[in-house]
Amino acid sequence: MASFPRLFRLFGDTRSISKGKALHAKIIISGMAQDIYTNNHLLAMYVRFDRIFYARKVLEEMPERNVISWTALISGYSQVGMPGKALDCFSLMINDSVEPNYYTFVSAVSACASLGDGRAGKEVHGKIYRSGVDFSTPVSNSLINMYGKCGLLKSAQLVFDAMLLPNSISWTSLLSCYNQRADNLKSLNIFLKSRRVGVKINEFACASVLSACAGLEDLKFGMQIHCLVVKCGLEFDKFVETGLISVYAKCGDLNLACQVVLEVNQSKLAAWNSLIGGYVQQGKRREAIDIFLKLYSSGIRPSERTFSSILGAIADAENIELGNQLHTLIIKMGYSSFLVVRNSVLDFYSKCGFLQESLRTFEDIDEHDTVSWNSLISGYVRSGQYEDAINLLKNMLFQGYKPNLYTYSIILGVSSDFPAIEWGKQTHCCIIKPAFDSNVIVGSALIDMYAKCGVLNAAREVFDSLTSKNLVSWNTMLTGYAQHGFAREALEIYSMMQRGKVKPNDVTFIGLLSACAHAGLLKEGLYYYDSMTRDHGIAPRLEHLASIVNLLARKGETRRAYEIIRSFSMEPSKVVWRCLLSGCKIHKDLVLGRLAAEKILSIDPEDTSAHIMLSNIYAEAKMWDKIAELRKIMKDKARKKDTGCSWIESKNKMYSFSSSHSTKFEGVNLIEVLNQLTVHLSDAGYFPHTSFYLSQERA
């Protein structure tokens, strides 16, 4: 009888399932009475075999149970991924008047962490405190990990601060807590503190701090960590390697990211996936596709994450054939059953504008998730089919799917495009309840919505309330001010960016130049245009050219604007010439105005507005013969200016108006209202400039 526990332990250690079960059967047949010591080893053996049902059966049939019996079963449930059952057993143990030990508490806290149940975790924490069990390092570490996974960072920090001698696991757990909640700056500070107190680093700490560097796009600090990783011999760890690639990729240094893969012999698939994802994030789709082909040709079998990443590289209509080939390969390799892959395929078709294909893919998915709905809805929004998108959103909510951060970003995008301020405000209320408004992505979408709806005070309140701002947040606020003519406020935002050492990009300067153009700030506009290349190494695009030409032309510097156009490295677009033409019309520069109009018509011969603006220039110069020629051309080709369209939101409904329709709004004839406004304008002394009479004519 005394040898049974030793045999059960031996069979458990050697994974001899058949021998262990045979011995158990022999004991049952013999009818021998078993003591608690033997039963505990029998139970522990089944736990090691992952036969948790048999372990539970053994416990239930034990005439006597102690803390070791319960702890073994609770630990077993946690190990096999059944944390709910583990907590149920913990409750039964308490009801059985058995006092837990610190091993029991560690298993129970781990179960709470797996469930993300902070409330249950706090209850277990309270039991630990009341039981008088020493808050040993393993118990404290498990509590830090649990609070971190539940998002209760203050509680995690309090447990850590109460520890007399935190070890490397304690530091790594706390670092991981902040890293999981994207508090990257705090993560770096914790890592630096751990180094100052002499804590030996491990691969988990390195992976977490590299993730923080990637989130902050701090290349310099990331390279320092890389040196430390090499010094400690951790560069071959797959998590560290993936972290290094992620840092270099997100910081835009893809050559160094490739070098990491090449330096580590036989890089794991995770490293290749990170490299592909890095190229996709940097917009280098062709290179991402080349790396995927190299990976596939080397004999490494792609994973579901590989396909998910590479599909993001071909999300445009130009690569639809390659996308179809990848879809076929996914089916051939048996990955079509993975939801993450199906969602990526759905997103690919959605972004390419193939809504029928995306809808078919959506319908083929057996069990959707929020990502599936988001991908489908965003496709309809991107195609301008807002009504269908709204109906899909209603179906999503009706079927019980909870919106996530991206869902709210889509809704806010629709509110911005209309714009529909009341709908946007309601969405804002929904966002506040789950505390999503602190998220930088949703926060940026809120700023954009309020700015496009003209409620700049609300946009600024959201902007100021964001604890963490990214470049999109700054650019959105700056552009919002610029679009509404608040040039000084836009320039102040840029000054704040400089003080905060936020690196601007090309979008930042589009907003700055637009602000200067609206306010006529010629000196400032020229300074920022030169500063782009001189101070930040950003090559001007056509959008920047259009803005500076618009600014110069508005100020009467049409010749200077033309010289900038001539010296530009790219072929000017129609928008650039239109900006020059508009300035020429205002300042009566007939020669350049005619040239600009001809350039527009050479790019787009069907541009009616260019004909009209040119005719207005001729009218200013009283060149009636030229006007007659233009009128004849317009009549011969039966050109017609596109009808303008406006809309308004009232009582949660959208109303559309155009000059070609006599629309009634809530029983009021809008044409009569406009006629009355015209009379009021005349009474106030306003008379239209007669040189613009051709713009009202219809061919």
Side-chain angles (χ1 to χ4, degrees):
M1 187 73 179
S3 63
F4 287 155
R6 184 176 59 83
L7 288 172
F8 285 136
R9 187 167 59 249
L10 175 65
F11 295 151
D13 292 340
T14 58
R15 307 290 295 178
S16 303
I17 299 175
S18 57
K19 290 181 180 179
K21 292 175 74 174
L23 180 59
H24 186 192
K26 190 171 183 179
I27 292 172
I28 294 171
I29 293 170
S30 67
M32 288 185 291
Q34 295 172 238
D35 57 20
I36 190 171
Y37 181 68
T38 303
N39 279 328
N40 282 344
H41 278 83
L42 175 62
L43 190 154
M45 179 192 73
Y46 281 123
V47 167
R48 286 198 181 99
F49 292 159
D50 292 336
R51 299 297 195 270
I52 201 71
F53 174 78
Y54 294 134
R56 181 65 179 264
K57 195 79 172 171
V58 170
L59 182 96
E60 290 173 348
E61 293 178 356
M62 288 173 65
E64 184 184 356
R65 293 169 290 208
N66 62 11
V67 64
I68 296 173
S69 318
W70 285 104
T71 301
L73 187 61
I74 293 167
S75 175
Y77 274 122
S78 293
Q79 290 170 13
V80 298
M82 301 173 70
K85 291 285 187 182
L87 289 182
D88 290 342
C89 277
F90 182 75
S91 298
L92 290 172
M93 174 184 178
I94 300 298
N95 293 335
D96 205 24
S97 300
V98 178
E99 285 294 323
N101 60 20
Y102 85 93
Y103 293 108
T104 321
F105 284 126
V106 167
S107 297
V109 171
S110 298
C112 295
S114 300
L115 289 169
D117 192 340
R119 184 175 179 179
K122 285 185 175 182
E123 290 177 359
V124 176
H125 191 176
K127 286 184 173 66
I128 296 171
Y129 185 80
R130 290 191 298 273
S131 68
V133 172
D134 181 33
F135 276 89
S136 63
T137 302
V139 173
S140 296
N141 288 345
S142 65
L143 284 168
I144 294 169
N145 177 59
M146 181 272 296
Y147 282 128
K149 287 186 175 178
C150 295
L152 303 171
L153 298 184
K154 289 184 178 179
S155 298
Q157 185 72 56
L158 287 171
V159 173
F160 179 84
D161 293 340
M163 296 179 70
L164 295 176
L165 292 171
N167 60 12
S168 62
I169 297 175
S170 315
W171 284 97
T172 304
S173 297
L174 188 65
L175 173 61
S176 178
C177 289
Y178 284 100
N179 184 247
Q180 287 169 5
R181 293 291 157 177
D183 195 341
N184 299 313
L185 198 57
K186 185 71 173 178
S187 297
L188 294 188
N189 289 332
I190 290 169
F191 180 78
L192 292 173
K193 283 182 181 178
S194 71
R195 296 292 296 156
R196 283 196 290 269
V197 298
V199 176
K200 185 178 179 181
I201 67 167
N202 55 36
E203 61 273 25
F204 303 108
C206 285
S208 292
V209 76
L210 285 169
S211 175
C213 292
L216 293 169
E217 296 185 10
D218 191 335
L219 180 60
K220 185 177 179 181
F221 197 89
M223 294 178 78
Q224 292 175 349
I225 299 298
H226 191 173
C227 294
L228 187 62
V229 163
V230 174
K231 184 179 177 181
C232 297
L234 298 171
E235 70 269 28
F236 298 104
D237 180 83
K238 65 177 182 178
F239 297 109
V240 174
E241 182 188 5
T242 302
L244 286 169
I245 294 168
S246 179
V247 169
Y248 290 129
K250 287 195 175 180
C251 293
D253 200 330
L254 295 169
N255 290 329
L256 285 176
C258 286
Q259 193 174 329
V260 171
V261 175
L262 295 173
E263 286 180 354
V264 179
N265 295 326
Q266 296 180 342
S267 287
K268 302 293 188 294
L269 180 59
W272 286 96
N273 289 342
S274 293
L275 190 59
I276 292 170
Y279 274 99
V280 173
Q281 288 172 359
Q282 294 296 323
K284 298 190 175 183
R285 298 177 177 180
R286 183 67 258 175
E287 291 87 344
I289 294 168
D290 290 340
I291 291 172
F292 172 79
L293 294 174
K294 185 177 179 180
L295 165 70
Y296 188 67
S297 61
S298 67
I300 300 175
R301 181 181 172 86
S303 67
E304 63 274 16
R305 188 187 164 194
T306 315
F307 284 114
S308 178
S309 296
I310 196 60
L311 280 166
I314 54 174
D316 57 62
E318 294 178 5
N319 285 316
I320 187 66
E321 184 177 347
L322 180 59
N324 287 331
Q325 291 174 356
L326 273 174
H327 192 182
T328 304
L329 183 61
I330 287 167
I331 295 170
K332 183 179 177 182
M333 296 185 72
Y335 285 119
S336 58
S337 60
F338 287 80
L339 182 59
V340 65
V341 177
R342 285 202 172 190
N343 283 343
S344 298
V345 172
L346 167 60
D347 190 55
F348 159 69
Y349 284 124
S350 180
K351 286 179 177 175
C352 290
F354 290 84
L355 298 183
Q356 290 299 321
E357 289 293 333
S358 63
L359 184 60
R360 190 178 298 115
T361 305
F362 179 82
E363 290 171 346
D364 287 341
I365 298 175
D366 297 327
E367 293 186 13
H368 306 106
D369 62 1
T370 305
V371 176
S372 315
W373 285 98
N374 287 345
S375 298
L376 187 65
I377 294 168
S378 64
Y380 280 91
V381 171
R382 200 176 290 108
S383 300
Q385 299 185 31
Y386 296 116
E387 188 174 347
D388 291 330
I390 292 168
N391 289 333
L392 284 170
L393 179 63
K394 289 177 180 177
N395 288 338
M396 170 187 169
L397 298 174
F398 181 74
Q399 293 183 31
Y401 292 93
K402 290 185 177 180
N404 61 12
L405 296 171
Y406 189 61
T407 316
Y408 286 119
S409 297
I410 295 171
I411 300 170
L412 291 169
V414 175
S415 303
S416 302
D417 291 339
F418 267 121
I421 184 62
E422 290 304 322
W423 196 15
K425 285 180 177 178
Q426 291 173 19
T427 306
H428 192 177
C429 294
C430 295
I431 289 168
I432 290 172
K433 189 175 180 180
F436 284 162
D437 55 326
S438 61
N439 179 272
V440 68
I441 297 172
V442 175
S444 299
L446 277 168
I447 296 167
D448 184 56
M449 183 274 296
Y450 280 122
K452 285 182 177 176
C453 292
V455 190
L456 290 170
N457 289 338
R460 185 59 184 266
E461 284 180 15
V462 175
F463 177 80
D464 291 338
S465 68
L466 285 177
T467 54
S468 176
K469 300 179 181 70
N470 62 10
L471 187 55
V472 175
S473 318
W474 289 98
N475 285 344
T476 305
M477 192 67 250
L478 190 154
T479 306
Y481 277 129
Q483 288 173 343
H484 291 279
F486 292 91
R488 293 298 176 188
E489 288 81 356
L491 299 187
E492 174 58 27
I493 291 291
Y494 182 67
S495 298
M496 290 169 63
M497 289 177 66
Q498 289 184 306
R499 290 194 295 271
K501 296 182 179 180
V502 179
K503 187 178 179 181
N505 64 1
D506 54 343
V507 178
T508 314
F509 284 98
I510 290 174
L512 282 171
L513 293 172
S514 175
C516 293
H518 277 97
L521 303 174
L522 182 58
K523 183 180 177 181
E524 291 87 344
L526 289 170
Y527 170 78
Y528 290 126
Y529 186 75
D530 293 335
S531 175
M532 280 179 61
T533 308
R534 183 184 67 242
D535 301 328
H536 302 284
I538 300 171
R541 296 192 284 115
L542 288 172
E543 290 87 344
H544 303 102
L545 177 64
S547 293
I548 197 66
V549 167
N550 184 35
L551 174 57
L552 287 166
R554 281 172 179 261
K555 298 294 285 186
E557 299 276 355
T558 51
R559 292 287 166 181
R560 191 173 178 183
Y562 178 60
E563 289 302 319
I564 289 179
I565 293 173
R566 287 184 59 191
S567 63
F568 199 69
S569 58
M570 289 184 282
E571 188 68 26
S573 65
K574 188 171 73 168
V575 176
V576 174
W577 290 114
R578 192 181 299 283
C579 290
L580 180 61
L581 176 58
S582 179
C584 291
K585 181 174 74 68
I586 294 169
H587 297 284
K588 302 179 178 61
D589 190 335
L590 176 62
V591 177
L592 272 183
R594 183 175 180 178
L595 173 66
E598 288 171 352
K599 290 288 187 181
I600 294 172
L601 293 172
S602 68
I603 296 171
D604 182 8
E606 302 300 320
D607 193 310
T608 306
S609 59
H611 282 95
I612 293 173
M613 291 182 76
L614 184 57
S615 69
N616 288 334
I617 291 174
Y618 287 147
E620 289 280 353
K622 295 182 171 54
M623 299 174 67
W624 309 116
D625 55 337
K626 293 291 185 181
I627 293 174
E629 288 178 18
L630 276 176
R631 290 181 65 184
K632 186 176 183 303
I633 292 171
M634 293 174 71
K635 286 181 179 179
D636 288 343
K637 294 193 175 183
R639 291 201 179 92
K640 200 171 186 179
K641 190 176 180 182
D642 292 335
T643 303
C645 180
S646 300
W647 53 83
I648 188 172
E649 179 189 17
S650 178
K651 298 178 181 178
N652 292 324
K653 289 185 179 180
M654 301 301 297
Y655 297 90
S656 179
F657 312 101
S658 66
S659 56
S660 60
H661 294 87
S662 179
T663 309
K664 287 191 175 183
F665 174 65
E666 295 187 352
V668 179
N669 190 317
L670 297 178
I671 299 299
E672 291 181 4
V673 173
L674 290 173
N675 289 336
Q676 291 173 13
L677 288 172
T678 304
V679 171
H680 286 305
L681 287 169
S682 299
D683 292 342
Y686 170 79
F687 294 95
H689 201 297
T690 56
S691 64
F692 296 104
Y693 70 95
L694 282 174
S695 65
Q696 302 299 324
E697 189 173 344
R698 294 289 182 269

